[in-house]
């Protein structure tokens, strides 16, 4: 891989004496030892942290995504062409992307993300993947200016949406909205991080960059959909999807959130649209999944993951692009993609969309709205000393919008437990 993709924004740095690690091994270590990564152990994946000691947190989900990501690389290394094999990321790079992909998520999952976006509408918005990019490129303490100071290829691989936030509508005058459903974030990076994005995309020609950053405007402005991601990002996203669709499904089965009858109500229709080996295999795995035998269930989970890992292929998605890292993506054939999307839909409908989960999400959203309001109104009184100093500097040099971003960084970095404790300190008598 050419030197510009191994470059770091801080420039060349001397290796420590005797350090024989590759750039990708160093990137993985920086993610693994970061405070942002450790906080994932107390952040919600789907079910709230602490309610059960079995199901996944953001941390265990990320570890499982990393394992699946390396399995995808191993598969393509055996079945891909010589050209495709040359494009494959190093296993350490793949782990770096999967371990880091969720570190920008705020407390309380997507509910917390929507709450922060609402509060930040007048100051550039908020989105979890954009916050991930900001953490690894600017906020984490490894480097005074450049966050974890990861290689350019690692940063490119973390760009699920390689575009800047569009112009956002101004929030209504009311401090607390009746419903946050209409304020889900646009999938994009923050305007204040445009300099970092420019650095990551610097090796691309102007034509390649224009292709790579194409967007589709959705029905309701300002929401947009970026159309492309890099090859590495497509592998990371596929690993994330498999972990979500299969392993979060296991949580739902074990905790009794998903019943066998609900499984059949959804998946029997899906199986009817499959053919060949998949049509025979999925019903058998469904029987194992709801078996009283723990080993049978684990075997079914492994077999489901295997379906998708062994089906992965490399596809040309930007035929006019010169740079191979954006010209190709990892994809699934239509039948396997349909099955994976169906498993994700089961998790959404019978777990995420359940009233008990949504009630917790509603409560958590309002907690974050109240926390943001309190810190916004009394930053010099309520913020911790270190964050207060950063807030003051940002306000003095960049004004209110820059200061709001520092406040948002602070709240987004909270774990679920920390946010609960802070809320009790401020509001519970």
């Amino acid at each position: 891989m050419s030197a510009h993709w191994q470059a770091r924004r801080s420039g060349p740095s001397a290796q420590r004496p005797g350090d024989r690690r590759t750039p990708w091994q160093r990137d993985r270590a920086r993610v693994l030892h970061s405070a942002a990564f450790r906080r994932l152990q107390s952040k919600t994946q789907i079910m709230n942290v602490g309610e059960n000691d079995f199901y996944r947190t953001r941390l265990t989900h990320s570890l499982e995504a990393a394992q699946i990501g390396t399995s995808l690389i191993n598969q393509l290394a055996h079945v891909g062409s010589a050209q495709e094999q040359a494009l494959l990321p190093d296993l350490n790079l793949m782990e770096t992307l999967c371990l880091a992909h969720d570190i920008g998520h705020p407390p309380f999952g997507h509910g917390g993300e929507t709450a922060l976006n609402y509060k930040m509408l007048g100051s550039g918005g908020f989105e979890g993947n954009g916050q991930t990019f900001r953490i690894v490129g600017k906020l984490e303490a490894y480097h005074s200016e450049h966050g974890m100071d990861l290689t350019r290829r690692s940063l490119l691989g973390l760009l699920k949406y390689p575009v800047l936030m569009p112009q956002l509508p101004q929030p209504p005058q009311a401090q607390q909205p009746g419903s946050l459903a209409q304020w889900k974030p646009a999938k994009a990076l923050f305007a204040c991080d445009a300099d970092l994005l420019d650095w990551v995309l610097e090796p691309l020609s102007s034509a390649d960059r224009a292709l790579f950053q194409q967007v589709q405007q959705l029905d309701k402005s300002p929401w947009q959909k970026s159309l492309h991601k890099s090859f590495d990002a497509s592998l990371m996203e596929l690993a994330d999807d498999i972990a979500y669709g299969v392993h979060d499904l296991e949580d739902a089965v074990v905790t009794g959130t998903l019943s066998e009858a609900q499984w059949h109500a959804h998946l029997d229709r899906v199986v009817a649209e499959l053919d060949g080996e998949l049509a025979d295999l999925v019903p058998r795995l469904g029987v194992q999944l709801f078996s009283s035998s723990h080993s049978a269930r684990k075997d079914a989970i492994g077999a489901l993951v295997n379906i998708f890992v062994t089906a992965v292929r490399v596809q040309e998605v930007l035929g006019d692009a010169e740079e191979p890292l954006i010209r190709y993506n990892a994809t699934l054939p239509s039948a396997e993609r349909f099955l994976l999307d169906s498993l994700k839909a089961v998790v959404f409908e019978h777990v995420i969309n359940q009233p008990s989960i949504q009630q917790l999400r509603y409560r958590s959203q309002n907690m974050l709205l109240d926390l943001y309001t309190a810190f916004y109104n009394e930053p010099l009184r309520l913020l911790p000393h270190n964050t207060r100093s950063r807030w003051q500097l940002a306000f003095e040099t960049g004004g209110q919008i820059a200061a709001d971003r520092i406040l948002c960084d602070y709240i987004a970095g909270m774990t679920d437990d920390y946010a609960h404790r802070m809320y009790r300190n401020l509001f519970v008598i």
Side-chain angles (χ1 to χ4, degrees):
M1 182 55 57
S2 52
H4 54 251
W5 291 116
Q6 296 187 34
R8 301 183 190 278
R9 201 176 183 198
S10 64
S13 59
Q15 289 277 81
R16 293 187 175 97
D19 188 353
R20 305 299 182 190
R21 294 176 299 168
T22 67
W24 322 121
Q25 288 173 316
R26 295 172 70 191
D27 279 2
R28 180 183 179 275
R30 292 180 186 191
V31 171
L32 195 59
H33 294 287
S34 67
F37 180 72
R38 290 195 299 276
R39 291 189 186 106
L40 294 177
Q41 67 188 307
S42 187
K43 287 194 176 187
T44 294
Q45 172 63 10
I46 292 180
M47 303 177 187
N48 275 25
V49 172
E51 291 190 5
N52 188 298
D53 61 3
F54 174 84
Y55 51 64
R56 275 84 178 167
T57 64
R58 288 276 174 189
L59 178 65
T60 56
H61 162 76
S62 298
L63 293 170
E64 289 173 334
Q67 185 274 320
I68 293 170
T70 56
S71 295
L72 293 170
I73 301 299
N74 288 330
Q75 175 70 15
L76 290 172
H78 282 87
V79 303
S81 66
Q83 180 186 19
E84 292 168 357
Q85 290 178 23
L87 187 61
L88 291 176
D90 180 271
L91 291 177
N92 290 283
L93 172 55
M94 192 72 252
E95 286 199 5
T96 297
L97 302 182
C98 293
L99 293 174
H101 81 281
D102 265 354
I103 61 175
H105 272 276
F108 312 127
H110 290 290
E113 181 184 42
T114 303
L116 283 181
N117 181 59
Y118 173 79
K119 284 297 189 180
M120 288 291 290
L121 285 173
S123 301
F126 179 83
E127 199 274 333
N129 295 284
Q131 189 70 11
T132 293
F133 189 65
R134 182 167 169 78
I135 289 170
V136 298
K138 291 189 174 181
L139 298 183
E140 191 62 41
Y142 187 92
H143 190 278
S144 59
E145 297 177 28
H146 305 306
M148 296 184 196
D149 196 28
L150 302 181
T151 57
R152 184 183 264 120
R153 182 166 177 175
S154 289
L155 291 173
L156 179 70
L158 288 170
L159 288 176
K160 288 181 68 172
Y161 316 110
V163 295
L164 295 178
M165 194 74 72
Q167 185 65 40
L168 298 171
Q170 292 304 300
Q173 293 301 311
Q175 287 296 307
Q176 301 290 67
S179 170
L180 285 173
Q182 62 178 314
W183 302 110
K184 292 179 181 179
K187 302 297 185 181
L189 307 176
F190 310 135
C192 59
D193 298 322
D195 58 325
L196 180 58
L197 177 62
D198 287 340
W199 182 81
V200 173
L201 301 185
E202 189 178 291
L204 301 182
S205 67
S206 56
D208 273 9
R209 178 164 178 172
L211 285 170
F212 187 52
Q213 293 188 291
Q214 288 176 312
V215 298
Q216 174 189 355
Q217 196 69 34
L218 302 182
D219 292 340
K220 190 175 180 182
S221 181
W223 287 273
Q224 63 185 21
K225 178 182 180 181
S226 61
L227 298 178
H228 305 293
K229 57 182 63 66
S230 72
F231 178 66
D232 297 348
S234 70
L235 281 162
M236 175 266 287
E237 187 170 52
L238 181 55
D240 183 27
D241 280 352
I242 295 170
Y244 168 56
V246 179
H247 290 301
D248 290 348
L249 173 69
E250 181 184 13
D251 282 358
V253 172
V254 173
T255 58
T257 310
L258 177 69
S259 69
E260 189 170 3
Q262 291 169 326
W263 165 266
H264 283 294
H266 196 107
L267 263 293
D268 287 354
R269 298 194 304 271
V270 173
V271 171
E273 297 188 40
L274 300 173
D275 53 28
E277 186 178 344
L278 274 183
D280 295 331
L281 180 58
V282 173
R284 295 204 305 270
L285 295 180
V287 172
Q288 285 184 249
L289 197 61
F290 290 91
S291 166
S292 58
S293 167
H294 296 313
S295 59
R297 185 183 67 244
K298 293 303 294 185
D299 183 62
I301 291 297
L304 284 170
V305 172
N306 186 67
I307 288 173
F308 306 117
V309 169
T310 55
V312 65
R313 62 186 182 183
V314 177
Q315 181 178 356
E316 187 178 74
V317 293
L318 270 178
D320 294 331
E322 299 174 13
E323 172 54 60
L325 283 177
I326 67 169
R327 184 170 183 168
Y328 298 96
N329 272 187
T331 63
L332 291 177
S334 58
E336 284 79 4
R337 171 47 68 181
F338 173 62
L339 176 59
L340 181 54
D341 288 343
S342 298
L343 294 180
K344 291 168 62 180
V346 169
V347 174
F348 178 82
E349 181 60 32
H350 296 293
V351 182
I352 297 174
N353 211 31
Q354 285 301 298
S356 59
I357 296 294
Q358 290 302 314
Q359 288 162 11
L360 288 171
R361 176 174 288 192
Y362 179 82
R363 182 188 70 179
S364 301
Q365 283 180 329
N366 282 284
M367 287 171 58
L368 283 197
L369 292 173
D370 288 340
L371 283 176
Y372 188 98
T373 299
F375 289 123
Y376 181 88
N377 290 334
E378 297 274 9
L380 299 180
R381 182 182 177 194
L382 300 178
L383 286 173
H385 290 295
N386 183 49
T387 307
R388 181 192 307 171
S389 299
R390 292 173 52 234
W391 184 93
Q392 282 183 294
L393 179 61
F395 186 82
E396 291 167 1
T397 58
Q400 186 64 56
I401 289 178
D404 290 349
R405 182 59 62 188
I406 299 300
L407 172 55
C408 186
D409 289 340
Y410 171 59
I411 297 177
M414 293 179 178
T415 64
D416 292 17
D417 290 341
Y418 186 90
H420 272 292
R421 289 197 303 272
M422 185 61 69
Y423 184 84
R424 288 197 299 270
N425 288 345
L426 292 175
F427 297 104
V428 178
I429 300 176

